[in-house]
């Protein structure tokens, strides 16, 4: 029962596993009358043809409490958009598809670009940003949740557990992060979290000294989880990154705006597995190499905002501290794997750490060479101020695509 101690900065909602999902859904259905809930699904068209999405849609079709589902569709031509409409048509809930590559939404993006507020980088962050803007434009939802579309072990429990802390009428949470144990197929997963984020946060604490923000990040059991929920009041006020630093960037914004008492994490799955990125050792602008570089920069930017001074010497010290801490953690992961009858390739683990070490130094160089980089997209309050009819433009573009194509 030690797992149920509340000894972290934020509230942790554990999963006993003995409450029927129907019981949770019945409560959420009742609460949805006062607090409509919207689910955002950022996806690539290729994921519709992958091993996970068919089951995700089947499971979501059974969820009774959702007011709407918003699907952000990336990398799709017109024919693929038509196929996506048919693919999602069996959802019984109201649902909308943002065809991000279509001419109408590109026209909206051009309007924002003319005032310097359009996202400058393609990817998940941009997709999520437009989906959240569309949810604000609809004006119905009071709570929103988001999860990835490549979860091969997906069950609808994930949606209920994500929304529960935000929707409960007596809870005080504004933001909730999902977490889960990253193991499948007899091996430990979650390489970026295990081998980059955990040792990097602790190395930064050693090099920079005790830091409230780093302590906050270290409170999350899986800071890189792509599953989270929040009040719509949060949506309009936070800025999110357009690069691979999305998850850390969102946590940074939540930490900036809300006290720990308004933030929690919830156990959403007994088993979780999804598509795994390649390490991309030969291409630092792809796969886990690109991801780890962006994540590292997101930490450096946040700490700089808080007054931390970075120099080449600091990054060299950080590199040495990170490398030693990461190697020590591999010993712990190995022991954890062995006692659970799993395998852990120590050579690959150390190769990954060596690659991440290079990415940390690369992130440091990029940070020093371009301190004016603006990775965060504007919050929607600012966008609405600059383009007062932006919500109507979004609504009209999505509606026209649905009607005409």
């Amino acid at each position: 029962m030690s797992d149920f101690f509340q000894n972290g900065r934020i509230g942790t909602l554990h999963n006993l596993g003995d409450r029927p999902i129907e019981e949770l859904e019945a409560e959420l259905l009742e609460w949805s009358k006062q607090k409509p809930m919207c689910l955002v699904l950022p996806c690539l068209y290729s994921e519709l043809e992958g091993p996970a999405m068919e089951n995700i849609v089947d499971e979501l079709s059974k969820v009774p409490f959702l007011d709407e589902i918003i699907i952000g569709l990336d990398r799709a031509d017109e024919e693929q958009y038509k196929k996506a409409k048919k693919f999602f048509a069996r959802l019984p809930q109201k649902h909308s598809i943002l065809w991000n590559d279509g001419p109408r939404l590109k026209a909206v993006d051009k309007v924002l670009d003319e005032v310097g507020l359009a996202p400058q980088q393609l990817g998940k962050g941009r997709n999520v940003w437009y989906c959240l803007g569309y949810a604000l434009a609809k004006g119905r939802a009071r709570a929103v949740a988001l999860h990835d579309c490549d979860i091969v072990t997906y069950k609808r429990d994930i949606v209920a557990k994500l929304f529960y802390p935000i929707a409960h009428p007596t809870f005080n949470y504004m933001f909730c992060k999902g977490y889960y144990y990253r193991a499948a197929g007899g091996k430990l997963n979650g390489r970026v979290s295990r081998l980059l984020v955990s040792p990097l946060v602790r190395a930064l604490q050693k090099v920079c000294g005790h830091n409230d923000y780093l302590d906050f990040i270290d409170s999350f059991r899986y800071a890189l989880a792509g599953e989270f929920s929040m009040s719509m009041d949060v949506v309009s006020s936070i800025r999110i990154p357009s690069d691979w630093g999305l998850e850390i960037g969102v946590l940074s914004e939540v930490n900036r705006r809300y006290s720990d008492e308004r933030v929690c994490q919830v156990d959403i799955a007994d088993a979780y597995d999804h598509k795994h990125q390649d390490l991309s050792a030969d291409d630092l602008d792809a796969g886990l190499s690109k991801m780890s570089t962006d994540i590292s920069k997101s930490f450096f930017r946040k700490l700089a905002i808080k007054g931390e001074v970075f120099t080449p010497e600091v990054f060299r010290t950080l590199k040495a501290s990170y490398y030693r801490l990461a190697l020590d953690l591999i010993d712990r992961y190995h022991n954890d794997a062995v006692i659970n009858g799993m395998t852990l390739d120590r050579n690959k683990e150390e190769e990954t750490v060596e690659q991440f070490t290079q990415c940390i130094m690369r992130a440091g160089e990029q940070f020093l060479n371009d301190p004016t980089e603006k990775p965060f997209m504007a919050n929607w309050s600012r966008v609405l101020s600059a383009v007062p009819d932006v919500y109507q433009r979004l609504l009209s573009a999505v509606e026209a695509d649905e009607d005409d194509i």
Side-chain angles (χ1 to χ4, degrees):
M1 294 295 290
S2 61
D3 188 48
F4 291 85
F5 291 146
Q6 295 286 339
N7 54 4
R9 283 270 303 270
I10 60 173
T12 299
L13 282 65
H14 304 89
N15 177 22
L16 278 171
D18 55 3
R19 279 197 77 184
I21 182 60
E22 293 79 10
E23 188 176 309
L24 289 175
E25 290 177 336
E27 289 185 288
L28 286 160
L29 180 60
E30 182 63 28
W31 301 335
S32 70
K33 297 173 184 176
Q34 300 299 320
K35 183 175 281 190
M37 299 171 223
C38 169
L39 178 66
V40 168
L41 300 177
C43 68
L44 303 171
Y45 177 79
S46 60
E47 288 175 322
L48 274 60
E49 300 176 327
M53 202 61 180
E54 191 80 29
N55 176 61
I56 290 174
V57 172
D58 286 343
E59 286 287 302
L60 286 176
S61 297
K62 306 170 190 174
V63 177
F65 59 84
L66 287 175
D67 182 69
E68 183 173 18
I69 297 175
I70 297 174
I71 301 122
L73 183 65
D74 270 349
R75 299 185 190 176
D77 58 26
E78 182 173 334
E79 192 61 34
Q80 290 169 329
Y81 170 67
K82 292 177 181 178
K83 291 180 180 178
K85 287 176 65 176
K86 293 179 181 178
F87 184 87
F88 290 107
R90 67 181 185 275
L91 286 170
Q93 303 93 342
K94 293 192 297 289
H95 59 277
S96 301
I97 301 175
L98 273 67
W99 179 26
N100 292 315
D101 298 299
R104 292 186 175 96
L105 281 180
K106 280 187 174 181
V108 176
D109 189 75
K110 183 179 180 181
V111 170
L112 297 185
D113 190 52
E114 289 170 353
V115 294
L117 295 179
Q120 297 302 303
Q121 186 169 338
L122 300 176
K124 179 182 175 182
R126 179 183 184 276
N127 192 345
V128 169
W129 187 77
Y130 270 115
C131 287
L132 294 178
Y134 183 75
L136 288 167
K138 293 295 287 287
R140 287 184 49 82
R142 293 186 57 196
V144 62
L146 179 150
H147 67 63
D148 291 332
C149 292
D150 59 353
I151 310 169
V152 295
T153 53
Y154 188 85
K155 293 183 179 179
R156 72 183 198 270
D157 305 45
I158 288 177
V159 182
K161 290 170 183 175
L162 277 176
F163 272 115
Y164 198 93
I166 302 298
H168 196 291
T170 67
F171 290 1
N172 196 36
Y173 299 122
M174 297 290 285
F175 179 88
C176 176
K177 185 81 162 177
Y179 75 89
Y180 31 80
Y181 187 63
R182 288 303 314 278
K187 62 179 182 178
L188 293 179
N189 295 320
R191 289 168 294 173
V192 181
S193 183
R194 290 190 297 107
L195 299 177
L196 176 74
V197 174
S198 291
L200 179 57
V201 166
R202 291 164 197 180
L204 284 165
Q205 288 171 325
K206 280 192 171 187
V207 173
C208 302
H210 179 266
N211 183 283
D212 182 77
Y213 164 69
L214 293 173
D215 189 38
F216 173 79
I217 295 294
D218 209 28
S219 297
F220 289 91
R221 298 194 176 192
Y222 196 59
L224 294 184
E227 293 73 32
F228 53 88
S229 59
M230 53 190 159
S231 163
M232 289 303 291
D233 292 334
V234 180
V235 173
S236 62
S237 62
I238 64 170
R239 301 174 304 151
I240 65 175
S242 57
D243 59 16
W244 281 107
L246 171 65
E247 284 77 21
I248 295 297
V250 169
L251 292 182
S252 299
E253 282 289 281
V254 169
N255 173 249
R256 181 177 67 88
R257 298 190 62 88
Y258 298 98
S259 67
D260 294 348
E261 288 73 23
R262 309 303 298 275
V263 182
C264 71
Q265 58 186 338
V266 61
D267 185 353
I268 60 173
D270 294 326
Y272 184 103
D273 195 20
H274 67 171
K275 179 180 66 178
H276 302 284
Q277 295 278 347
D278 293 330
L279 184 58
S280 301
D282 298 328
D283 185 359
L284 295 180
D285 290 316
L288 295 189
S289 294
K290 168 65 172 169
M291 183 187 300
S292 58
T293 300
D294 288 348
I295 290 169
S296 299
K297 280 197 292 184
S298 70
F299 281 125
F300 303 155
R301 287 190 295 256
K302 179 64 176 181
L303 291 170
I305 289 170
K306 288 184 167 289
E308 195 65 42
V309 177
F310 288 101
T311 65
E313 291 75 21
V314 169
F315 284 122
R316 283 195 289 269
T317 302
L318 178 64
K319 170 188 173 183
S321 179
Y322 159 79
Y323 187 66
R324 182 66 264 166
L325 285 166
L327 293 180
D328 289 343
L329 281 176
I330 290 175
D331 289 333
R332 298 186 189 182
Y333 298 138
H334 174 264
N335 298 340
D336 195 11
V338 169
I339 198 172
N340 285 286
M342 298 180 183
T343 59
L344 187 79
D345 188 326
R346 296 183 68 124
N347 180 54
K348 285 187 177 179
E349 293 276 291
E350 293 200 20
E351 286 180 348
T352 301
V353 167
E354 290 165 0
Q355 182 69 20
F356 287 166
T357 303
Q358 293 183 42
C359 293
I360 291 170
M361 291 302 293
R362 183 169 183 256
E365 292 171 4
Q366 291 178 0
F367 173 79
L368 293 175
N369 291 335
D370 188 11
T372 61
E373 180 185 19
K374 297 179 180 179
F376 282 92
M377 294 171 283
N379 64 40
W380 278 98
S381 294
R382 180 183 175 187
V383 176
L384 188 61
S385 175
V387 186
D389 65 344
V390 65
Y391 286 169
Q392 187 55 50
R393 288 174 182 268
L394 276 173
L395 292 172
S396 298
V398 174
E399 182 179 347
D401 281 346
E402 291 176 346
D403 291 343
D404 297 347
I405 299 175

